[in-house]
Amino acid sequence: MCGIAGILNLDGAPADPRVMARMLELQAHRGPDDKGTRLFSLATGRSSEYVAGAPAQASAMYEGALGFVRLSILDLSIEGHQPMCNADSSLFIAFNGEIYNAFD
């Protein structure tokens, strides 16, 4: 029962991490164990994990944001932190549910 939120400014304006933080606060009851925000740009193909309190100019190059609040049930470790990304941070995902046959 996690929560997922997203912003994508089609006009290229920077995504405001404070708006994302508020969106996640409204869903905190759905995932009290962890939260994360990933800023991204479709124009440049870059993304970065956002840390609360980071300087505002750090988010100026990203027109999108993906946020997640997590309810830890099976994986209680930090390895379950979302949004998750691949090794070179070119792909990322936030999802609610479980990966079937993950332990086979």
Coordinates of all heavy atoms in Angstrom, one line a residue:
M1 N 0.8 -1.2 0.0 CA 0.0 0.0 0.0 C 0.9 1.2 0.0 O 0.8 2.1 0.9 CB -0.9 0.0 1.2 CG -1.7 1.2 1.3 SD -3.4 1.0 1.4 CE -3.8 1.6 3.0
C2 N 1.8 1.3 -0.9 CA 2.7 2.5 -1.1 C 2.0 3.6 -1.8 O 0.9 3.5 -2.3 CB 3.9 2.0 -1.8 SG 4.8 0.6 -1.0
G3 N 2.7 4.7 -1.9 CA 2.2 5.9 -2.7 C 3.2 6.3 -3.7 O 4.4 6.4 -3.5
I4 N 2.6 6.7 -4.9 CA 3.5 7.1 -6.0 C 2.9 8.5 -6.5 O 1.7 8.7 -6.6 CB 3.4 6.1 -7.2 CG1 3.9 4.7 -6.7 CG2 4.2 6.6 -8.4 CD1 3.7 3.6 -7.7
A5 N 3.8 9.4 -6.8 CA 3.4 10.7 -7.3 C 4.4 11.1 -8.4 O 5.6 10.7 -8.4 CB 3.4 11.8 -6.2
G6 N 4.0 11.9 -9.3 CA 4.8 12.4 -10.4 C 4.5 13.8 -10.9 O 3.3 14.2 -10.8
I7 N 5.5 14.4 -11.4 CA 5.3 15.7 -12.1 C 6.1 15.7 -13.4 O 7.2 15.2 -13.4 CB 6.0 16.9 -11.2 CG1 5.3 17.0 -9.8 CG2 5.9 18.2 -11.9 CD1 6.1 17.9 -8.9
L8 N 5.5 16.2 -14.4 CA 6.2 16.4 -15.7 C 5.7 17.7 -16.3 O 4.5 17.8 -16.7 CB 6.0 15.3 -16.7 CG 6.7 15.4 -18.0 CD1 8.2 15.6 -17.9 CD2 6.3 14.3 -18.9
N9 N 6.6 18.7 -16.3 CA 6.2 20.0 -16.9 C 6.5 20.0 -18.4 O 7.6 20.0 -18.8 CB 7.0 21.2 -16.3 CG 6.6 21.4 -14.8 OD1 5.4 21.3 -14.5 ND2 7.5 21.6 -13.9
L10 N 5.4 19.9 -19.2 CA 5.6 19.8 -20.7 C 6.2 21.1 -21.3 O 6.7 21.0 -22.4 CB 4.2 19.5 -21.3 CG 3.6 18.1 -20.9 CD1 2.3 17.9 -21.5 CD2 4.6 17.0 -21.2
D11 N 6.1 22.2 -20.6 CA 6.7 23.4 -21.1 C 8.2 23.6 -20.8 O 8.8 24.5 -21.1 CB 5.9 24.6 -20.6 CG 6.0 24.8 -19.1 OD1 6.6 23.9 -18.4 OD2 5.4 25.8 -18.6
G12 N 8.8 22.5 -20.1 CA 10.2 22.6 -19.8 C 10.5 23.3 -18.5 O 11.7 23.4 -18.2
A13 N 9.6 23.8 -17.8 CA 9.8 24.5 -16.6 C 10.3 23.5 -15.5 O 10.0 22.3 -15.6 CB 8.5 25.2 -16.1
P14 N 11.2 23.9 -14.7 CA 11.8 23.0 -13.7 C 10.7 22.5 -12.7 O 9.7 23.2 -12.3 CB 12.7 23.9 -12.8 CG 13.0 25.1 -13.7 CD 11.8 25.3 -14.5
A15 N 10.8 21.2 -12.4 CA 9.9 20.6 -11.4 C 10.3 21.1 -10.1 O 11.5 21.1 -9.7 CB 10.0 19.1 -11.5
D16 N 9.3 21.5 -9.3 CA 9.6 22.0 -7.9 C 9.6 20.9 -6.9 O 8.5 20.3 -6.7 CB 8.5 23.1 -7.6 CG 8.8 23.8 -6.3 OD1 9.6 23.3 -5.5 OD2 8.2 24.9 -6.1
P17 N 10.7 20.6 -6.3 CA 10.8 19.5 -5.4 C 9.9 19.7 -4.1 O 9.5 18.8 -3.5 CB 12.2 19.4 -5.0 CG 13.0 20.3 -5.8 CD 12.0 21.2 -6.6
R18 N 9.6 21.0 -3.9 CA 8.7 21.3 -2.7 C 7.3 20.8 -3.0 O 6.6 20.4 -2.1 CB 8.7 22.8 -2.4 CG 10.1 23.3 -1.9 CD 10.2 24.7 -1.8 NE 9.9 25.3 -3.2 CZ 10.0 26.6 -3.5 NH1 10.2 27.5 -2.6 NH2 9.8 27.0 -4.7
V19 N 6.9 20.9 -4.3 CA 5.6 20.4 -4.7 C 5.5 18.9 -4.5 O 4.6 18.3 -4.0 CB 5.2 20.9 -6.1 CG1 3.9 20.2 -6.6 CG2 5.1 22.4 -6.2
M20 N 6.6 18.3 -5.0 CA 6.7 16.8 -4.8 C 6.7 16.4 -3.3 O 6.0 15.5 -3.0 CB 7.9 16.3 -5.5 CG 8.1 14.8 -5.3 SD 6.7 13.8 -5.9 CE 6.8 14.1 -7.7
A21 N 7.4 17.1 -2.5 CA 7.4 16.8 -1.1 C 6.0 16.9 -0.5 O 5.6 16.1 0.3 CB 8.4 17.8 -0.4
R22 N 5.3 17.9 -0.9 CA 3.9 18.1 -0.4 C 3.0 16.9 -0.9 O 2.2 16.4 -0.1 CB 3.3 19.4 -0.8 CG 1.9 19.7 -0.3 CD 1.9 19.9 1.2 NE 0.5 20.0 1.6 CZ -0.1 19.3 2.5 NH1 0.6 18.4 3.2 NH2 -1.3 19.6 2.8
M23 N 3.2 16.5 -2.1 CA 2.4 15.4 -2.7 C 2.7 14.1 -1.9 O 1.8 13.4 -1.6 CB 2.7 15.2 -4.2 CG 2.3 16.3 -5.1 SD 3.0 16.3 -6.7 CE 2.1 14.9 -7.4
L24 N 3.9 13.9 -1.5 CA 4.3 12.7 -0.7 C 3.8 12.8 0.7 O 3.4 11.8 1.3 CB 5.8 12.5 -0.8 CG 6.4 12.2 -2.2 CD1 7.9 12.0 -2.1 CD2 5.7 10.9 -2.8
E25 N 3.8 14.1 1.3 CA 3.3 14.2 2.6 C 1.8 13.8 2.7 O 1.4 13.3 3.7 CB 3.4 15.7 3.0 CG 4.8 16.1 3.4 CD 4.9 17.6 3.7 OE1 3.9 18.3 3.9 OE2 6.0 18.1 3.6
L26 N 1.1 14.2 1.6 CA -0.4 13.8 1.6 C -0.6 12.3 1.6 O -1.7 11.8 1.9 CB -1.0 14.5 0.4 CG -1.2 16.0 0.5 CD1 -1.6 16.6 -0.8 CD2 -2.1 16.4 1.6
Q27 N 0.4 11.5 1.2 CA 0.3 10.1 1.1 C 1.1 9.4 2.1 O 1.3 8.2 2.1 CB 0.8 9.6 -0.3 CG 0.1 10.2 -1.5 CD 0.6 9.5 -2.7 OE1 0.3 8.4 -3.0 NE2 1.2 10.3 -3.5
A28 N 1.7 10.1 3.1 CA 2.6 9.5 4.1 C 1.9 8.3 4.8 O 2.7 7.4 5.2 CB 3.0 10.6 5.1
H29 N 0.6 8.4 5.0 CA 0.0 7.3 5.7 C 0.0 6.0 4.9 O -0.1 4.9 5.4 CB -1.5 7.6 6.0 CG -2.3 7.8 4.7 ND1 -2.2 9.0 4.0 CD2 -3.2 7.0 4.1 CE1 -3.0 8.9 2.9 NE2 -3.6 7.7 3.0
R30 N 0.3 6.1 3.6 CA 0.4 4.9 2.7 C 1.8 4.2 2.8 O 1.9 3.1 2.4 CB 0.0 5.3 1.3 CG -1.4 5.7 1.1 CD -1.7 6.1 -0.3 NE -1.5 4.9 -1.2 CZ -2.4 4.0 -1.5 NH1 -3.6 4.2 -1.0 NH2 -2.2 3.0 -2.3
G31 N 2.8 5.0 3.2 CA 4.1 4.4 3.2 C 5.0 5.1 4.2 O 5.8 6.0 3.9
P32 N 4.8 4.8 5.5 CA 5.6 5.5 6.5 C 7.0 5.1 6.7 O 7.7 5.7 7.5 CB 4.7 5.2 7.8 CG 4.2 3.9 7.5 CD 3.9 3.9 6.0
D33 N 7.5 4.1 6.0 CA 8.8 3.5 6.3 C 9.9 4.1 5.5 O 11.1 4.1 5.9 CB 8.8 2.0 6.0 CG 7.8 1.2 6.9 OD1 7.6 1.6 8.0 OD2 7.1 0.3 6.4
D34 N 9.6 4.7 4.4 CA 10.7 5.3 3.5 C 10.1 6.2 2.5 O 8.9 6.1 2.2 CB 11.5 4.2 2.8 CG 12.8 4.7 2.1 OD1 13.3 5.8 2.5 OD2 13.3 4.0 1.2
K35 N 10.8 7.1 2.0 CA 10.4 7.9 0.9 C 11.6 8.4 0.0 O 12.7 8.4 0.5 CB 9.6 9.2 1.3 CG 10.4 10.2 2.1 CD 9.5 11.3 2.5 CE 10.2 12.3 3.4 NZ 9.4 13.4 3.8
G36 N 11.3 8.6 -1.3 CA 12.4 9.0 -2.2 C 11.8 9.8 -3.3 O 10.6 9.7 -3.7
T37 N 12.7 10.7 -3.9 CA 12.3 11.5 -5.0 C 13.4 11.5 -6.0 O 14.6 11.6 -5.6 CB 12.0 13.0 -4.6 OG1 10.9 13.0 -3.7 CG2 11.7 13.8 -5.8
R38 N 13.1 11.2 -7.3 CA 14.1 11.3 -8.3 C 13.7 12.4 -9.3 O 12.6 12.4 -9.8 CB 14.1 9.9 -9.1 CG 15.3 9.8 -10.0 CD 16.1 8.6 -9.8 NE 17.3 8.7 -10.5 CZ 18.5 8.6 -9.9 NH1 18.5 8.5 -8.6 NH2 19.6 8.7 -10.6
L39 N 14.6 13.3 -9.6 CA 14.4 14.3 -10.5 C 14.9 13.8 -11.9 O 15.9 13.1 -11.9 CB 15.1 15.6 -10.1 CG 14.7 16.2 -8.8 CD1 15.6 17.3 -8.4 CD2 13.3 16.7 -8.8
F40 N 14.2 14.2 -13.0 CA 14.7 13.8 -14.3 C 14.4 14.8 -15.4 O 13.6 15.7 -15.2 CB 14.0 12.4 -14.6 CG 12.5 12.5 -14.8 CD1 12.0 12.8 -16.0 CD2 11.7 12.3 -13.7 CE1 10.6 12.8 -16.2 CE2 10.3 12.3 -13.9 CZ 9.8 12.6 -15.1
S41 N 15.1 14.6 -16.5 CA 14.9 15.5 -17.6 C 14.8 14.5 -18.9 O 15.7 13.8 -19.2 CB 16.0 16.4 -17.9 OG 15.9 17.1 -19.1
L42 N 13.6 14.6 -19.5 CA 13.5 13.9 -20.8 C 14.3 14.5 -21.9 O 14.8 13.8 -22.8 CB 12.0 13.8 -21.2 CG 11.1 13.0 -20.2 CD1 9.7 13.1 -20.7 CD2 11.6 11.6 -20.1
A43 N 14.5 15.8 -21.8 CA 15.3 16.5 -22.8 C 16.8 16.1 -22.8 O 17.4 16.0 -23.9 CB 15.2 18.0 -22.6
T44 N 17.3 15.9 -21.6 CA 18.8 15.6 -21.6 C 19.0 14.1 -21.3 O 20.2 13.7 -21.4 CB 19.5 16.5 -20.5 OG1 18.9 16.1 -19.2 CG2 19.3 17.9 -20.8
G45 N 18.0 13.4 -20.8 CA 18.2 12.0 -20.4 C 18.9 11.9 -19.1 O 19.3 10.8 -18.7
R46 N 19.0 12.9 -18.3 CA 19.7 12.9 -17.0 C 18.7 12.8 -15.8 O 17.5 13.2 -16.0 CB 20.5 14.1 -16.8 CG 21.6 14.2 -17.8 CD 22.5 15.4 -17.7 NE 23.2 15.3 -16.4 CZ 23.9 16.2 -15.9 NH1 24.0 17.4 -16.4 NH2 24.6 16.0 -14.7
S47 N 19.1 12.2 -14.7 CA 18.3 12.1 -13.5 C 19.2 12.1 -12.3 O 20.4 11.9 -12.4 CB 17.4 10.8 -13.5 OG 18.2 9.7 -13.3
S48 N 18.6 12.5 -11.2 CA 19.3 12.6 -9.9 C 18.4 12.4 -8.8 O 17.3 12.8 -8.8 CB 20.0 14.0 -9.8 OG 20.6 14.1 -8.6
E49 N 18.9 11.7 -7.8 CA 18.1 11.5 -6.5 C 18.1 12.9 -5.8 O 19.1 13.6 -5.8 CB 18.8 10.5 -5.6 CG 18.1 10.3 -4.3 CD 17.1 9.2 -4.2 OE1 17.1 8.4 -5.1 OE2 16.3 9.2 -3.3
Y50 N 16.9 13.3 -5.4 CA 16.7 14.5 -4.7 C 16.8 14.3 -3.2 O 16.1 13.4 -2.7 CB 15.4 15.2 -5.1 CG 15.2 16.5 -4.3 CD1 16.0 17.7 -4.7 CD2 14.4 16.6 -3.2 CE1 15.8 18.8 -4.0 CE2 14.3 17.8 -2.5 CZ 15.0 18.9 -2.9 OH 14.9 20.1 -2.2
V51 N 17.6 15.1 -2.5 CA 17.7 15.0 -1.1 C 17.1 16.3 -0.5 O 17.4 17.4 -0.9 CB 19.2 14.9 -0.6 CG1 19.3 14.9 0.9 CG2 19.8 13.7 -1.3
A52 N 16.1 16.1 0.4 CA 15.5 17.3 1.0 C 16.5 18.2 1.6 O 17.5 17.9 2.2 CB 14.5 16.8 2.1
G53 N 16.2 19.5 1.3 CA 17.1 20.5 1.8 C 18.2 20.9 0.8 O 19.0 21.8 1.1
A54 N 18.3 20.2 -0.3 CA 19.3 20.5 -1.3 C 19.0 21.9 -1.9 O 17.9 22.3 -1.9 CB 19.3 19.5 -2.4
P55 N 20.0 22.6 -2.4 CA 19.8 23.9 -3.0 C 18.8 23.9 -4.1 O 18.8 22.9 -4.9 CB 21.2 24.3 -3.5 CG 22.1 23.5 -2.8 CD 21.4 22.2 -2.4
A56 N 18.0 24.9 -4.2 CA 16.9 25.0 -5.2 C 17.5 24.9 -6.6 O 16.9 24.3 -7.5 CB 16.1 26.2 -5.0
Q57 N 18.7 25.5 -6.9 CA 19.2 25.5 -8.2 C 19.6 24.1 -8.7 O 19.7 23.9 -9.9 CB 20.4 26.5 -8.3 CG 21.6 26.1 -7.5 CD 21.7 26.7 -6.2 OE1 20.6 27.1 -5.6 NE2 22.8 26.8 -5.6
A58 N 19.7 23.2 -7.8 CA 20.1 21.8 -8.1 C 19.0 21.2 -8.9 O 19.2 20.3 -9.7 CB 20.4 21.0 -6.9
S59 N 17.7 21.6 -8.7 CA 16.6 21.0 -9.4 C 16.2 21.8 -10.7 O 15.4 21.4 -11.4 CB 15.4 21.0 -8.5 OG 15.0 22.3 -8.2
A60 N 16.9 22.9 -11.0 CA 16.6 23.7 -12.1 C 16.7 23.0 -13.5 O 16.1 23.4 -14.5 CB 17.4 25.0 -12.1
M61 N 17.5 22.0 -13.6 CA 17.8 21.4 -14.9 C 16.9 20.2 -15.1 O 17.0 19.5 -16.1 CB 19.2 20.9 -15.0 CG 19.6 19.9 -14.0 SD 21.4 19.4 -14.2 CE 22.2 20.6 -13.2
Y62 N 15.9 19.9 -14.3 CA 15.0 18.8 -14.4 C 13.5 19.2 -14.5 O 13.0 19.9 -13.6 CB 15.2 17.9 -13.2 CG 16.6 17.4 -13.0 CD1 17.3 17.9 -11.9 CD2 17.1 16.4 -13.8 CE1 18.6 17.5 -11.7 CE2 18.4 16.0 -13.6 CZ 19.2 16.5 -12.6 OH 20.5 16.1 -12.4
E63 N 12.9 18.8 -15.6 CA 11.5 19.2 -15.7 C 10.5 18.2 -15.2 O 9.3 18.4 -15.2 CB 11.2 19.5 -17.2 CG 11.1 18.3 -18.1 CD 12.4 17.9 -18.7 OE1 13.5 18.4 -18.3 OE2 12.4 17.0 -19.6
G64 N 11.0 17.1 -14.6 CA 10.1 16.1 -14.1 C 10.6 15.6 -12.7 O 11.8 15.7 -12.4
A65 N 9.7 14.9 -12.0 CA 10.1 14.3 -10.7 C 9.2 13.1 -10.5 O 8.0 13.1 -10.9 CB 9.9 15.3 -9.6
L66 N 9.7 12.1 -9.9 CA 9.0 10.9 -9.5 C 9.2 10.7 -8.0 O 10.4 10.6 -7.6 CB 9.4 9.7 -10.4 CG 8.7 8.4 -10.2 CD1 7.3 8.5 -10.5 CD2 9.4 7.3 -11.0
G67 N 8.1 10.5 -7.3 CA 8.3 10.3 -5.8 C 7.6 9.1 -5.4 O 6.7 8.6 -6.0
F68 N 8.0 8.6 -4.2 CA 7.5 7.3 -3.7 C 7.6 7.3 -2.2 O 8.5 7.8 -1.6 CB 8.4 6.2 -4.2 CG 7.9 4.8 -3.9 CD1 6.9 4.3 -4.7 CD2 8.4 4.1 -2.9 CE1 6.4 3.0 -4.5 CE2 7.9 2.8 -2.6 CZ 6.9 2.3 -3.4
V69 N 6.5 6.9 -1.5 CA 6.5 6.6 -0.1 C 6.3 5.1 0.0 O 5.5 4.5 -0.7 CB 5.4 7.4 0.7 CG1 5.8 8.9 0.7 CG2 4.0 7.2 0.1
R70 N 7.0 4.5 0.9 CA 7.1 3.1 1.0 C 6.6 2.5 2.3 O 6.9 2.9 3.4 CB 8.6 2.7 0.8 CG 8.9 1.2 0.9 CD 10.3 0.9 0.6 NE 10.6 -0.5 0.8 CZ 11.7 -0.9 1.4 NH1 12.7 -0.1 1.8 NH2 11.9 -2.2 1.6
L71 N 5.8 1.4 2.2 CA 5.4 0.6 3.3 C 6.2 -0.7 3.1 O 6.1 -1.5 2.2 CB 3.9 0.3 3.2 CG 3.4 -0.7 4.3 CD1 3.6 0.0 5.7 CD2 1.9 -1.0 4.0
S72 N 7.2 -0.9 4.0 CA 8.0 -2.1 4.0 C 7.3 -3.3 4.5 O 7.0 -3.3 5.7 CB 9.3 -1.9 4.7 OG 10.0 -0.7 4.2
I73 N 7.2 -4.4 3.7 CA 6.6 -5.6 4.1 C 7.5 -6.8 4.0 O 7.9 -7.4 5.0 CB 5.3 -5.9 3.4 CG1 4.3 -4.7 3.7 CG2 4.7 -7.2 3.7 CD1 3.0 -4.8 2.9
L74 N 8.0 -7.0 2.8 CA 8.9 -8.2 2.5 C 10.3 -7.7 2.7 O 11.1 -8.4 3.4 CB 8.7 -8.8 1.1 CG 7.3 -9.5 0.9 CD1 7.2 -10.0 -0.5 CD2 7.2 -10.6 1.9
D75 N 10.8 -6.7 2.0 CA 12.1 -6.3 2.0 C 12.3 -5.1 2.9 O 11.9 -4.0 2.6 CB 12.6 -5.9 0.6 CG 14.1 -5.6 0.5 OD1 14.7 -5.5 1.6 OD2 14.6 -5.3 -0.6
L76 N 12.8 -5.3 4.1 CA 12.9 -4.2 5.1 C 14.2 -3.4 4.9 O 14.4 -2.4 5.6 CB 12.8 -4.8 6.5 CG 11.5 -5.6 6.8 CD1 11.5 -6.2 8.2 CD2 10.3 -4.9 6.5
S77 N 15.1 -3.8 4.0 CA 16.4 -3.2 3.9 C 16.3 -2.0 3.0 O 15.3 -1.7 2.4 CB 17.4 -4.2 3.2 OG 17.1 -4.3 1.8
I78 N 17.4 -1.2 2.9 CA 17.5 0.0 2.1 C 17.5 -0.4 0.6 O 17.2 0.4 -0.2 CB 18.8 0.8 2.5 CG1 18.8 2.1 1.8 CG2 20.0 0.0 2.1 CD1 17.7 3.1 2.3
E79 N 17.7 -1.7 0.3 CA 17.7 -2.1 -1.1 C 16.3 -2.0 -1.7 O 16.2 -2.0 -2.9 CB 18.1 -3.6 -1.2 CG 19.5 -3.9 -0.7 CD 20.6 -3.1 -1.6 OE1 20.4 -3.1 -2.8 OE2 21.5 -2.6 -1.0
G80 N 15.3 -1.8 -0.9 CA 13.9 -1.6 -1.4 C 13.6 -0.1 -1.6 O 12.5 0.2 -2.0
H81 N 14.6 0.8 -1.4 CA 14.4 2.2 -1.6 C 14.0 2.5 -3.0 O 14.6 2.0 -4.0 CB 15.6 3.0 -1.2 CG 15.5 4.5 -1.4 ND1 14.8 5.3 -0.5 CD2 16.0 5.3 -2.3 CE1 14.9 6.5 -0.9 NE2 15.6 6.6 -2.0
Q82 N 13.0 3.4 -3.2 CA 12.5 3.7 -4.5 C 12.4 5.3 -4.6 O 12.4 5.9 -3.6 CB 11.1 3.2 -4.8 CG 11.1 1.6 -4.9 CD 9.8 1.1 -5.4 OE1 9.2 1.6 -6.4 NE2 9.3 0.1 -4.7
P83 N 12.4 5.8 -5.8 CA 12.5 5.2 -7.1 C 13.8 4.4 -7.3 O 14.9 4.9 -6.9 CB 12.3 6.3 -8.1 CG 11.7 7.4 -7.4 CD 12.1 7.2 -5.9
M84 N 13.7 3.3 -7.9 CA 14.9 2.4 -8.2 C 15.5 2.8 -9.6 O 14.7 3.2 -10.4 CB 14.6 1.0 -8.2 CG 14.2 0.4 -6.8 SD 13.8 -1.3 -7.0 CE 13.4 -1.7 -5.3
C85 N 16.8 2.7 -9.7 CA 17.4 2.9 -11.0 C 18.4 1.8 -11.4 O 18.8 1.1 -10.5 CB 18.0 4.3 -11.1 SG 19.3 4.6 -9.9
N86 N 18.7 1.8 -12.7 CA 19.7 0.8 -13.1 C 21.1 1.3 -12.8 O 21.3 2.4 -12.2 CB 19.5 0.5 -14.6 CG 19.8 1.7 -15.5 OD1 19.8 2.8 -15.0 ND2 19.9 1.4 -16.8
A87 N 22.1 0.6 -13.2 CA 23.5 0.9 -12.8 C 24.0 2.3 -13.2 O 24.7 2.9 -12.5 CB 24.5 -0.2 -13.3
D88 N 23.6 2.7 -14.4 CA 24.0 4.0 -14.9 C 23.0 5.1 -14.8 O 23.1 6.2 -15.3 CB 24.5 3.9 -16.4 CG 23.4 3.6 -17.4 OD1 22.2 3.5 -16.9 OD2 23.7 3.6 -18.6
S89 N 21.9 4.8 -14.0 CA 20.9 5.8 -13.7 C 20.2 6.3 -14.9 O 19.6 7.4 -14.9 CB 21.4 7.0 -12.9 OG 21.9 6.5 -11.6
S90 N 20.2 5.5 -16.0 CA 19.5 6.0 -17.2 C 18.0 5.5 -17.2 O 17.2 6.1 -18.0 CB 20.2 5.4 -18.5 OG 20.2 4.0 -18.5
L91 N 17.7 4.6 -16.4 CA 16.3 4.1 -16.3 C 15.9 4.0 -14.8 O 16.8 3.7 -14.0 CB 16.2 2.7 -16.9 CG 16.5 2.5 -18.3 CD1 16.5 1.0 -18.7 CD2 15.6 3.2 -19.2
F92 N 14.7 4.4 -14.5 CA 14.3 4.3 -13.1 C 12.8 4.0 -13.1 O 12.1 4.2 -14.1 CB 14.6 5.6 -12.3 CG 14.1 6.9 -12.9 CD1 12.9 7.4 -12.5 CD2 14.8 7.5 -13.9 CE1 12.4 8.6 -13.0 CE2 14.4 8.7 -14.4 CZ 13.2 9.2 -14.0
I93 N 12.4 3.5 -11.9 CA 11.0 3.0 -11.8 C 10.5 3.2 -10.3 O 11.3 3.1 -9.4 CB 10.9 1.5 -12.2 CG1 9.4 1.1 -12.2 CG2 11.7 0.6 -11.3 CD1 9.2 -0.3 -12.8
A94 N 9.3 3.4 -10.2 CA 8.6 3.3 -8.8 C 7.4 2.4 -9.1 O 6.7 2.6 -10.0 CB 8.2 4.7 -8.4
F95 N 7.2 1.5 -8.2 CA 6.1 0.6 -8.4 C 5.6 0.1 -7.0 O 6.3 0.1 -6.0 CB 6.5 -0.6 -9.3 CG 7.6 -1.5 -8.7 CD1 7.2 -2.7 -8.0 CD2 8.9 -1.2 -8.8 CE1 8.2 -3.5 -7.5 CE2 9.9 -2.0 -8.3 CZ 9.6 -3.2 -7.6
N96 N 4.3 -0.3 -7.0 CA 3.7 -0.8 -5.9 C 3.3 -2.2 -6.1 O 2.7 -2.6 -7.1 CB 2.4 0.0 -5.6 CG 1.7 -0.4 -4.3 OD1 2.4 -0.9 -3.4 ND2 0.5 -0.1 -4.2
G97 N 3.8 -3.1 -5.3 CA 3.5 -4.5 -5.5 C 4.7 -5.3 -5.2 O 5.6 -4.9 -4.5
E98 N 4.8 -6.5 -5.7 CA 5.9 -7.4 -5.5 C 6.3 -8.0 -6.8 O 5.5 -8.1 -7.7 CB 5.6 -8.4 -4.5 CG 4.6 -9.5 -4.9 CD 4.4 -10.5 -3.8 OE1 3.6 -10.2 -2.9 OE2 5.0 -11.6 -3.9
I99 N 7.5 -8.4 -6.9 CA 8.1 -9.1 -8.0 C 7.9 -10.6 -7.8 O 8.4 -11.2 -6.9 CB 9.6 -8.8 -8.3 CG1 9.7 -7.3 -8.5 CG2 10.1 -9.6 -9.4 CD1 11.1 -6.8 -8.5
Y100 N 7.0 -11.2 -8.6 CA 6.7 -12.6 -8.4 C 7.9 -13.5 -8.8 O 8.7 -13.1 -9.7 CB 5.5 -13.0 -9.3 CG 4.2 -12.4 -8.8 CD1 3.8 -11.2 -9.3 CD2 3.5 -12.9 -7.7 CE1 2.6 -10.6 -8.8 CE2 2.4 -12.3 -7.2 CZ 1.9 -11.2 -7.8 OH 0.8 -10.6 -7.3
N101 N 8.1 -14.5 -8.1 CA 9.2 -15.5 -8.2 C 10.6 -14.8 -7.9 O 11.6 -15.2 -8.4 CB 9.3 -16.0 -9.6 CG 8.0 -16.8 -10.0 OD1 7.5 -17.5 -9.1 ND2 7.5 -16.7 -11.2
A102 N 10.6 -13.7 -7.1 CA 11.8 -13.0 -6.8 C 12.8 -13.9 -6.0 O 14.0 -13.7 -6.0 CB 11.5 -11.7 -6.1
F103 N 12.2 -14.8 -5.2 CA 13.1 -15.6 -4.4 C 13.3 -17.0 -4.9 O 13.9 -17.8 -4.2 CB 12.4 -15.7 -3.0 CG 12.2 -14.3 -2.4 CD1 10.9 -13.8 -2.2 CD2 13.3 -13.5 -2.0 CE1 10.7 -12.5 -1.7 CE2 13.1 -12.3 -1.5 CZ 11.8 -11.8 -1.3
D104 N 13.0 -17.3 -6.1 CA 13.2 -18.6 -6.7 C 14.6 -18.7 -7.3 O 15.2 -17.8 -7.7 CB 12.2 -18.9 -7.8 CG 10.8 -19.2 -7.2 OD1 10.7 -19.4 -6.0 OD2 9.9 -19.1 -8.0

